[in-house]
């Protein structure tokens, strides 16, 4: 079916897969590392970053293939985006959660803070971190909780990120289409997409922030029950506790979302099959 949208979506069948994966791996590595740690990040935590690349590629592949599959049953872009976004997040989180568990301990260590159960007491009562390098953290988690320790907060992550991803994509396309109808026809599509990304991220973050707060508590504090964690949070901080970090989350997500959107849309345009290059505008 011909795409009648003002900003046509580049679908899976429009891509040269070899270009898509070669360019995609390089672009994902640069975006994920440079936006968080700068150039030094290119040489730090290589093992963790490698698994992050796998997660990113699995996410986009699942998203595009699911869109293609769902298109057999409906031409509604919102439905395709919602189902594909949720499915992609499910696959990616199965890879990402263990990375997050380890990374959170690394981040807290850099700030000089302890991580709940994972510390020892000195005679003066001060907490002394026992986590050093990544391999030491992995060993401590496995010793304490076994394989399950790497998936602590997995259900909470799914309840956070699946809705977030499922909501982000439809809103992203919705905002891009609305902006396109309000701007001159010669306005660069990439600019409209770069604006739409943060708008969609702010919308998705607002809707899913409560579960993100609970997820962080479950993973960091080693809790096993989402319901008990929710009740404890309400008892300690009230309903406002569920909005904790929302403004910071939106603000911090804006620059990274712009980079990701511009990178991904550029990747797809660079990966277009030769006969379709002139049919898509920047």
């Amino acid at each position: 079916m011909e795409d009648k949208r003002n900003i046509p979506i580049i679908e899976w069948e429009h891509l040269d897969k070899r270009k898509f994966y070669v360019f995609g791996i390089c672009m994902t590595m640069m975006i994920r590392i440079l936006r968080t740690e700068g150039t030094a990040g290119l040489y730090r935590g290589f093992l963790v970053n490698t698994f992050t690349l796998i997660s990113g590629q699995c996410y986009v592949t699942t998203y595009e293939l699911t869109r293609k599959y769902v298109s057999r049953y409906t031409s509604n872009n919102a439905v395709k985006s919602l189902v594909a976004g949720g499915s992609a997040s499910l696959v990616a989180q199965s890879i990402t959660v263990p990375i997050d568990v380890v990374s959170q301990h690394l981040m807290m260590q850099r700030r000089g803070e302890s991580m709940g159960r994972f510390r020892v007491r000195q005679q003066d009562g001060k907490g002394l971190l026992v986590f050093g390098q990544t391999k030491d953290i992995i060993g401590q988690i496995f010793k304490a909780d076994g394989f399950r320790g790497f998936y602590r907060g997995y259900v909470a992550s799914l309840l956070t990120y699946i809705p977030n991803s499922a909501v982000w994509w439809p809103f992203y396309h919705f905002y891009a289409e609305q902006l396109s109808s309000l701007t001159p026809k010669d306005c660069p599509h990439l600019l409209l997409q770069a604006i739409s990304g943060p708008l969609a991220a702010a919308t998705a973050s607002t809707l899913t922030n409560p579960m993100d707060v609970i997820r962080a508590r479950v993973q960091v504090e080693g809790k096993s029950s989402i319901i008990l964690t929710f009740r404890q949070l309400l008892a300690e901080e009230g309903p406002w506790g569920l909005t904790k970090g929302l403004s910071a989350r939106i603000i911090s997500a804006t620059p990274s979302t712009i980079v990701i959107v511009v990178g991904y849309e550029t990747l797809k345009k660079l990966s277009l099959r030769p006969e379709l290059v002139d049919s898509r505008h920047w």
Side-chain angles (χ1 to χ4, degrees):
M1 182 177 294
E2 185 180 356
D3 195 338
K4 301 296 185 181
R5 297 168 58 83
N6 293 329
I7 303 181
I9 298 173
I10 299 176
E11 303 287 4
W12 180 253
E13 58 270 21
H14 302 150
L15 302 174
D16 180 321
K17 308 307 184 297
R18 288 177 297 179
K19 290 182 180 179
F20 182 73
Y21 282 112
V22 172
F23 292 155
I25 290 174
C26 296
M27 193 170 294
T28 301
M29 176 180 287
M30 297 300 295
I31 289 175
R32 286 183 177 273
I33 298 175
L34 292 178
R35 69 173 176 156
T36 56
E37 299 190 61
T39 54
L42 292 171
Y43 305 97
R44 186 189 302 121
F46 178 77
L47 181 60
V48 173
N49 287 324
T50 299
F51 281 105
T52 302
L53 290 177
I54 295 173
S55 171
Q57 292 304 304
C58 287
Y59 180 93
V60 296
T61 300
T62 302
Y63 176 78
E64 297 294 347
L65 286 176
T66 303
R67 275 187 65 92
K68 181 179 179 180
Y69 177 79
V70 176
S71 65
R72 299 177 185 175
Y73 304 97
T74 179
S75 60
N76 187 297
N77 182 64
V79 174
K80 291 191 290 185
S81 299
L82 188 148
V83 175
S87 301
S89 184
L90 172 62
V91 172
Q93 285 306 304
S94 297
I95 301 172
T96 301
V97 167
I99 300 174
D100 281 347
V101 170
V102 175
S103 296
Q104 285 172 353
H105 287 82
L106 281 171
M107 290 172 60
M108 295 300 286
Q109 180 192 17
R110 290 172 187 169
R111 297 173 185 169
E113 301 174 13
S114 62
M115 289 293 296
R117 301 167 300 151
F118 298 106
R119 63 179 181 175
V120 295
R121 293 284 184 178
Q122 291 182 317
Q123 292 181 353
D124 60 1
K126 294 182 179 180
L128 177 65
L129 293 174
V130 297
F131 284 144
Q133 301 299 321
T134 301
K135 63 179 181 180
D136 298 321
I137 294 177
I138 293 174
Q140 288 287 340
I141 295 175
F142 187 79
K143 182 179 180 180
D145 297 315
F147 186 73
R148 290 178 55 191
F150 296 100
Y151 278 90
R152 189 168 295 279
Y154 178 62
V155 175
S157 291
L158 295 183
L159 293 176
T160 300
Y161 289 113
I162 288 180
N164 186 285
S165 180
V167 168
W168 187 89
W169 285 100
F171 273 107
Y172 166 62
H173 292 304
F174 169 78
Y175 287 132
E177 197 68 12
Q178 294 303 308
L179 288 174
S180 177
S181 65
L182 297 174
T183 54
K185 291 184 178 181
D186 59 350
C187 184
H189 289 176
L190 198 59
L191 174 61
L192 301 181
Q193 291 164 332
I195 297 173
S196 301
L199 291 176
T203 303
S205 295
T206 301
L207 295 174
T208 62
N209 194 72
M211 274 309 306
D212 191 50
V213 174
I214 296 172
R215 175 194 62 81
R217 279 206 169 196
V218 169
Q219 287 184 333
V220 173
E221 298 180 10
K223 299 181 181 298
S224 58
S225 172
I226 295 176
I227 295 177
L228 290 179
T229 303
F230 173 71
R231 290 177 178 174
Q232 181 182 0
L233 179 63
L234 287 181
E236 294 177 356
E237 304 183 40
W240 286 108
L242 297 173
T243 65
K244 181 182 294 185
L246 177 57
S247 58
R249 186 181 175 193
I250 293 175
I251 294 173
S252 64
T254 297
S256 61
T257 302
I258 293 174
V259 171
I260 291 171
V261 167
V262 171
Y264 188 61
E265 294 296 346
T266 300
L267 167 64
K268 292 208 292 184
K269 288 182 174 67
L270 291 175
S271 303
L272 274 169
R273 301 205 316 267
E275 65 271 22
L276 297 175
V277 171
D278 295 333
S279 67
R280 296 294 187 273
H281 303 289
W282 290 79

